[in-house]
Amino acid sequence: MVDILTSKNLALEDQARELQEAVDNLESLCEMDKEMEENAKEVEHELRETIDLLQNQIREKERQAEQLQYTIGDHERTILKFRETVKTMQFQNDQSKKLMEKYDEQLKLAGSAQSSEFKAKIVEAKTYSEIVEGELHKLEAANLNKHVHLLTLFLPEQFLKRGADHDCILVLLLVHRLISKCDLLTTEIQKKFERIDQLTFDDVVKSHRAEQWGFACKLSQSLSIFRMILRKYVKAMEVCNPDNLRHLSSTYHDLLTHEKSLDFLIDLLQKDQLHDSLSLNTLDKTIAFYE
């Protein structure tokens, strides 16, 4: 009996220990549950605070969005007003341009009439001035010729004979006159023919500019050579002895005949007929004769 009770007692003790362990486990689980519940409450509180903060931010963003929408609407209204103003100003500008063009045409018509009259007056005044100046030059030349004629009346007959001192003076005057004509032709040729610094394909193939400029260069070169020869004549006549000067004067009439080559070129220049197809053989012969 005692053994049975002892066995039962031991069994009960084992059950008590197991139950105690179960109780301890349950108490631990209960404490853990409480801790988890407290943690959950804290998390819930934090989440609620976060939600409130986010809701406040959302409301602020919505308020800003409404304000931006109002600003955008205000800007759109301003843009529409600006476009309407621009259209109005463009219309006014077009009207002003039309009026200005109309006034410009009227001013051009009036100005062209006045300009034509003014230019005509200038040309008329210039022509009249040139006529008067030409008449004065003619008068001066006539007086000089008369002066020379009167002076020759007081000179001995030997002075006026052919090959004498008078022909020496005529040769010197002829050479200076030829130099002046060469200078005149060179200057006018440079004005008449357009200068070409660099030839192009169009100048050679599609126009006559190359031929014209080549002719002008050739003529200017010939005139420069002739002018150089004439200046040698002047230098020689200034230093030579009287006998050599008289010998040169004996060729005066031969020298004089070649002046026609320059007179011919000057005449063509006056008539605006000096062109690149003109032959320069006569001028070349004159240069060769004086050489």
Side-chain angles (χ1 to χ4, degrees):
M1 186 70 178
V2 174
D3 293 333
I4 294 170
L5 291 173
T6 302
S7 299
K8 287 182 178 180
N9 189 20
L10 291 171
L12 290 172
E13 287 179 358
D14 291 335
Q15 289 179 357
R17 282 195 298 272
E18 291 177 357
L19 291 173
Q20 186 64 41
E21 290 177 358
V23 169
D24 292 337
N25 290 331
L26 290 174
E27 287 179 352
S28 298
L29 290 173
C30 184
E31 289 178 358
M32 290 177 63
D33 182 63
K34 288 180 180 179
E35 290 178 358
M36 291 178 66
E37 185 178 359
E38 290 177 358
N39 291 332
K41 287 181 180 180
E42 291 178 358
V43 171
E44 181 182 1
H45 180 69
E46 291 177 355
L47 290 174
R48 287 185 182 279
E49 289 181 351
T50 303
I51 290 171
D52 292 338
L53 180 62
L54 291 174
Q55 286 179 346
N56 291 331
Q57 291 178 354
I58 290 171
R59 284 192 292 270
E60 180 66 21
K61 296 297 181 183
E62 289 177 350
R63 187 186 65 79
Q64 292 178 358
E66 290 177 357
Q67 187 175 1
L68 288 174
Q69 288 292 337
Y70 176 78
T71 304
I72 290 170
D74 185 56
H75 287 171
E76 288 179 349
R77 289 189 293 272
T78 304
I79 290 171
L80 290 175
K81 290 181 181 179
F82 178 75
R83 287 177 178 174
E84 292 176 356
T85 304
V86 169
K87 288 181 180 179
T88 304
M89 293 179 68
Q90 285 179 345
F91 177 76
Q92 293 176 354
N93 190 22
D94 293 337
Q95 295 296 324
S96 299
K97 284 183 178 179
K98 290 179 180 179
L99 288 174
M100 289 179 66
E101 289 176 357
K102 183 178 179 181
Y103 291 148
D104 287 340
E105 290 178 357
Q106 294 177 354
L107 288 173
K108 285 180 180 178
L109 292 174
S112 61
Q114 293 178 357
S115 177
S116 299
E117 294 177 358
F118 182 69
K119 288 180 179 178
K121 290 181 179 179
I122 291 176
V123 171
E124 183 180 356
K126 185 176 180 181
T127 304
Y128 182 73
S129 176
E130 290 176 351
I131 292 173
V132 173
E133 186 177 0
E135 292 298 326
L136 290 174
H137 286 318
K138 288 180 181 180
L139 180 61
E140 184 178 359
N143 286 331
L144 289 174
N145 288 330
K146 188 175 182 179
H147 185 198
V148 171
H149 176 68
L150 292 174
L151 289 176
T152 55
L153 295 177
F154 295 91
L155 296 174
E157 294 181 1
Q158 183 65 29
F159 179 80
L160 299 175
K161 286 184 178 180
R162 185 167 182 172
D165 295 340
H166 184 244
D167 285 349
C168 296
I169 296 174
L170 293 178
V171 170
L172 183 60
L173 292 174
L174 171 64
V175 173
H176 281 291
R177 186 167 66 250
L178 292 175
I179 292 174
S180 298
K181 289 183 178 181
C182 287
D183 292 336
L184 173 64
L185 282 168
T186 302
T187 302
E188 295 302 322
I189 287 168
Q190 291 176 355
K191 294 179 182 178
K192 178 177 176 60
F193 295 98
E194 182 181 359
R195 180 183 179 88
I196 300 177
D197 294 323
Q198 185 175 0
L199 283 175
T200 62
F201 179 79
D202 292 339
D203 293 334
V204 178
V205 178
K206 297 183 179 180
S207 68
H208 297 286
R209 293 179 69 239
E211 291 84 352
Q212 292 173 353
W213 180 241
F215 170 76
C217 292
K218 175 65 172 63
L219 181 54
S220 298
Q221 182 185 20
S222 299
L223 292 171
S224 298
I225 294 172
F226 191 29
R227 184 168 54 244
M228 180 181 64
I229 295 171
L230 293 171
R231 285 175 178 169
K232 289 182 179 180
Y233 270 74
V234 174
K235 187 66 176 178
M237 293 171 70
E238 289 176 352
V239 298
C240 70
N241 56 52
D243 293 334
N244 290 333
L245 185 59
R246 291 190 188 94
H247 177 71
L248 178 62
S249 66
S250 63
T251 63
Y252 167 70
H253 294 282
D254 295 330
L255 296 173
L256 182 62
T257 56
H258 289 278
E259 186 179 10
K260 295 179 181 179
S261 60
L262 293 181
D263 293 336
F264 175 70
L265 294 174
I266 292 174
D267 183 61
L268 291 178
L269 188 63
Q270 288 177 330
K271 296 177 181 178
D272 197 20
Q273 296 177 356
L274 193 64
H275 47 77
D276 56 286
S277 62
L278 180 67
S279 175
L280 300 178
N281 291 334
T282 305
L283 179 60
D284 294 336
K285 290 179 181 179
T286 299
I287 295 172
F289 179 80
Y290 273 79
E291 285 180 336

